[in-house]
């Protein structure tokens, strides 16, 4: 049996978030970018609405909702404020990693605070010399007594300047590649942790930056799961974040299309509405169609995850083409709105800048094509 419908509860959740996103997020979306500030109160508001704790079990302050429901949140928040979708995606990714692998003590300390929006946690894998090749990281964690001593540099990390803690990946065995990496919860206020922000093209309120670790003493209880297992613990989480990213981007692009459809129906040129020209309507149709394909592939991937079925190639297809199709759609919307859309009076130029960031973050097009090729053609044909 195939059933493409959402439950009544999910439809209600979508309608509630649509209303919130349109009335409370959209009118201020550009403000945080222009002022270079992070709206922490809105992150908390997402906590009140139950968005931050969707993938957190009820016992730890969340709702234990399905991945499909989390996708609805990513799409709807993406319509109002693309940058706040980091609250959906990062929280879902991090909550799953902690729920599945951390000690009860770590879960009790962090999960309720993530769910209510009081604390923001980031995930720090990338380094100056290791991005796509994540197993090539050089940060180290040395077990000494009841602590691990962390040293290294993390780069490109979302929420670097606003995060309260980070899941940091470091080598615990220098000679074992991906099998020598461990993950730790590192509070941002530990001595030896220094975070510096970037001047990014987009995603400005998210405070991306570098994290410098100098002889940071991390209690051994902060190790997540087993030593040397960190890489494999997070790789599974990426299948979730990649599907959510596709929906975040689709949400921002669908909103742009809706705004543009209104514009081309009311704006006249050569004595008729712009929409009467197929040179105007067909690009809109093309982008709408591409985004619908992404949306349904994303929900299918999330459904597969909810059913504990394989979904890596679905997730990678959505991560590869979702941000790409979304930025192409938003770009076209900008052009169809004419010169005003090139000003900062309108949100389109910002949406374009914001969405492009996630063509890189969480894996580039090529990184995701490698995942699909591995599954489609076979591991024995990996290039490395
Ligand atoms: C908005 C944003 C948010 C981010 N947030 C985080 C975060 O929260 N945490 C975190 O750890 N990191 C984060 N990152 C970093 C991101 O994960 C990396 O930038 C990404 O994995 C690519 O790594 P790199 O920049 O080092 O590029 P490189 O790995 O140097 O790649 C450069 C180019 O070469 C291509 N390439 C590399 N290897 C191959 C290959 N084998 N075959 C074909 N092409 C290849 C890549 O696709 C890319 O186009 C973020 C980045 C951005 C832009």
């Amino acid at each position: 049996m195939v059933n493409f419908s959402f439950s009544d509860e999910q439809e209600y959740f979508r309608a509630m978030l649509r209303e919130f996103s349109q009335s409370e997020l959209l009118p201020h979306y550009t403000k945080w970018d222009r002022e270079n500030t992070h709206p922490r109160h809105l992150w908390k508001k997402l906590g009140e609405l139950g968005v931050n704790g969707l993938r957190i079990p009820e016992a730890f302050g969340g709702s234990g909702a399905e991945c499909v429901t989390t996708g609805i949140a990513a799409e709807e928040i993406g319509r109002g404020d693309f940058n706040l979708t980091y609250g959906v995606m990062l929280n879902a990714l991090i909550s799953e990693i902690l729920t599945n692998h951390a000690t009860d003590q770590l879960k009790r300390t962090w999960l309720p605070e993530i769910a209510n929006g009081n604390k923001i946690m980031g995930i720090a894998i990338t380094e100056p010399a290791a991005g796509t090749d994540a197993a090539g990281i050089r940060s180290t964690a040395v077990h000494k007594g009841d602590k691990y001593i962390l040293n290294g540099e993390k780069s490109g990390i979302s929420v670097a300047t606003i995060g309260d803690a980070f899941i940091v990946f470091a080598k615990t065995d220098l000679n074992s590649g991906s099998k020598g990496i461990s993950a730790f919860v590192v509070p941002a206020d530990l001595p030896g942790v220094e975070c510096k922000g970037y001047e990014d093209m987009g995603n400005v309120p998210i405070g991306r930056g570098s994290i410098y670790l100098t002889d940071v003493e991390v209690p051994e209880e902060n190790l997540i799961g087993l030593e040397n297992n960190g890489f494999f613990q997070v790789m599974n989480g990426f299948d979730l974040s990649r599907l959510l990213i596709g929906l975040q981007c689709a949400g921002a692009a669908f909103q742009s299309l809706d705004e543009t459809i209104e514009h081309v129906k009311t704006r006249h040129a050569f004595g008729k509405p712009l929409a009467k020209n197929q040179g105007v309507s067909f690009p809109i149709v093309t982008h709408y169609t591409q985004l619908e394909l992404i949306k349904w592939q994303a929900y299918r991937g999330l459904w597969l995850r909810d059913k504990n079925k394989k979904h890596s190639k679905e997730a990678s297809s959505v991560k590869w083409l979702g941000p790409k199709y979304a930025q192409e759609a938003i770009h076209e919307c900008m052009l169809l709105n004419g010169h005003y859309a090139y000003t900062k009076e309108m949100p389109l130029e910002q949406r374009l800048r914001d969405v492009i960031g996630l063509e890189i973050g969480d894996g580039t097009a090529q990184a995701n094509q490698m995942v699909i090729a591995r599954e489609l053609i076979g591991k024995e044909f990996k290039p490395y």
Side-chain angles (χ1 to χ4, degrees), residues 301 303-312:
W303 178 86
L304 288 169
R305 190 174 179 88
D306 281 328
K307 300 279 176 232
N308 280 324
K309 293 178 193 281
K310 272 178 80 171
H311 55 286
S312 294

Side-chain angles (χ1 to χ4, degrees), residues 15 36 62 97 107-108 117-118 136 138-139 211 219 226 272 298 304 321:
N36 194 357
I97 294 173
K107 287 186 216 176
R108 269 199 302 277
N118 280 342
R138 294 174 184 174
S139 293
I211 303 174
L226 299 174
K272 60 182 182 188
L304 288 169
L321 290 174

Side-chain angles (χ1 to χ4, degrees), residues 267-274 276:
R267 169 89 178 171
H268 284 63
F270 300 96
K272 60 182 182 188
L274 289 175
K276 286 210 172 200

Side-chain angles (χ1 to χ4, degrees), residues 86 123 125-126 131-132 156-158 203 208 357 360-361 364 366 370:
Y86 275 79
I123 185 153
I125 306 168
T126 309
T132 305
I157 310 305
S158 303
N203 298 165
R208 209 171 62 98
I360 306 170
T364 60
Q366 290 93 327
M370 283 188 238

Side-chain angles (χ1 to χ4, degrees), residues 79-97:
R79 279 178 164 267
D81 186 333
F82 183 77
N83 291 311
L84 273 175
T85 55
Y86 275 79
V88 185
M89 180 265 289
L90 270 182
N91 287 333
L93 170 64
I94 285 165
S95 304
E96 279 205 1
I97 294 173

